Amino acid sequence: MIEQRMSLAALCLALTLGLALAVPQGRLLGGEDAKMAEFPYVASLRLNKAHVCQASIISEMQMLTAGHCVSDVGAKPVEAKQLTARVGSINQFAGGDLVDICEVVIHASYGNFLHDLAIITLCEPLTFGEKINKIALPAPIEEGEVEEVPTNGTPVYVAGWGEQTDGTSNYKLQKANFNTLGKGPCELDAGYGYDSTLCLARAEKQGVCRGDDGAAVVDDDNVIQGVVSFFWGDCGTKYPDVSTRIVHYLAWIEANKK
């Protein structure tokens, strides 16, 4: 009888483990679902109707994303008519509104993932509310201020629909925590320390992945400090993820304001 109970317990354990292994394990971006209206500035950027990147609403008419997300060749963008954006939904496949895009401007110096930033102009203005709203831009750097803003070790957050550890993409928006890595430490860890980039530290087997490109890197004050640019090798390596540091591009953003 005891042996039968042990066998039954072992069988139940095996079935439980088998079911657990059958379900997609882990979320590479972080580990938890975003709540409705938690990130009202997040948009799913779609090329020919398929999600390719994130974009972040900065005004009723404009969004920020990574330059490589909308690049045809170098700083020449794809045709705007190929792009749409889903706003107001945490489901990348449904809900919210699909909006048309009329203009795309990539930073003129974009190349090799430096200056990896683009501004998207919508065809019609958004109506802001609980589920659709803008993210604040950082304040300009004052003369004499430390240029490395945010400073090393600042807690930041990213939300996106990128791939998980099993290679699939979650339909629901995911969120994760990071810490910024200063220019010096990032140069030491990855050989990529630039004033215009913002590196993100996290544990191995976590971090951004394909489809998270263009996502906002946001601090505790709900200010966008970076735009996700790239990761080294496969997702979740020991190397930090890299984003574009927004404070260095405020004049360019202002010059292209609509």
Side-chain angles (χ1 to χ4, degrees):
M1 189 62 141
I2 294 175
E3 289 180 356
Q4 289 179 335
R5 288 176 181 174
M6 289 179 66
S7 297
L8 182 59
L11 177 60
C12 290
L13 178 60
L15 288 172
T16 301
L17 290 173
L19 288 171
L21 290 171
V23 176
Q25 295 296 300
R27 301 183 176 105
L28 190 59
L29 183 58
E32 58 181 305
D33 295 342
K35 298 176 183 177
M36 182 62 73
E38 186 176 5
F39 301 99
Y41 55 82
V42 172
S44 167
L45 182 61
R46 314 183 77 76
L47 176 64
N48 297 324
K49 301 182 179 180
H51 172 85
V52 289
C53 287
Q54 260 80 242
S56 300
I57 300 167
I58 58 169
S59 73
E60 287 89 343
M61 286 296 295
Q62 291 187 307
M63 301 179 183
L64 286 179
T65 191
H68 75 268
C69 289
V70 290
S71 170
D72 183 11
V73 179
K76 178 187 174 184
V78 298
E79 292 186 59
K81 65 182 181 181
Q82 294 180 265
L83 299 167
T84 54
R86 186 181 300 279
V87 298
S89 178
I90 57 174
N91 184 339
Q92 64 162 302
F93 301 117
D97 298 312
L98 273 176
V99 295
D100 294 323
I101 292 168
C102 277
E103 185 181 8
V104 181
V105 177
I106 300 174
H107 195 281
S109 298
Y110 164 66
N112 295 325
F113 289 96
L114 284 173
H115 315 294
D116 191 10
L117 196 63
I119 292 182
I120 294 168
T121 301
L122 307 178
C123 298
E124 299 289 340
L126 298 171
T127 299
F128 284 170
E130 182 186 15
K131 297 180 182 178
I132 302 173
N133 219 312
K134 66 180 180 179
I135 185 70
L137 295 172
I141 298 173
E142 299 293 335
E143 188 175 350
E145 218 179 338
V146 177
E147 290 194 8
E148 195 166 271
V149 177
T151 56
N152 181 56
T154 300
V156 287
Y157 312 89
V158 175
W161 286 281
E163 287 186 11
Q164 301 180 43
T165 49
D166 64 351
T168 63
S169 295
N170 200 314
Y171 78 93
K172 186 178 286 188
L173 188 68
Q174 304 293 298
K175 60 181 180 180
N177 303 340
F178 298 78
N179 286 310
T180 62
L181 198 61
K183 182 175 66 173
C186 191
E187 176 67 32
L188 186 64
D189 286 356
Y192 207 82
Y194 294 93
D195 290 336
S196 61
T197 59
L198 178 64
C199 294
L200 308 175
R202 74 294 184 279
E204 287 189 50
K205 302 188 184 300
Q206 294 183 3
V208 300
C209 197
R210 286 168 290 275
D212 290 321
D213 315 55
V217 179
V218 178
D219 65 17
D220 281 331
D221 296 321
N222 212 31
V223 173
I224 182 171
Q225 296 291 351
V227 166
V228 170
S229 180
F230 72 95
F231 50 88
W232 297 98
D234 202 359
C235 317
T237 66
K238 65 179 181 179
Y239 301 107
D241 299 325
V242 180
S243 65
T244 300
R245 194 187 299 267
I246 294 301
V247 74
H248 283 269
Y249 297 94
L250 293 177
W252 178 78
I253 293 170
E254 181 63 27
N256 287 280
K257 190 176 181 180
K258 299 288 185 181

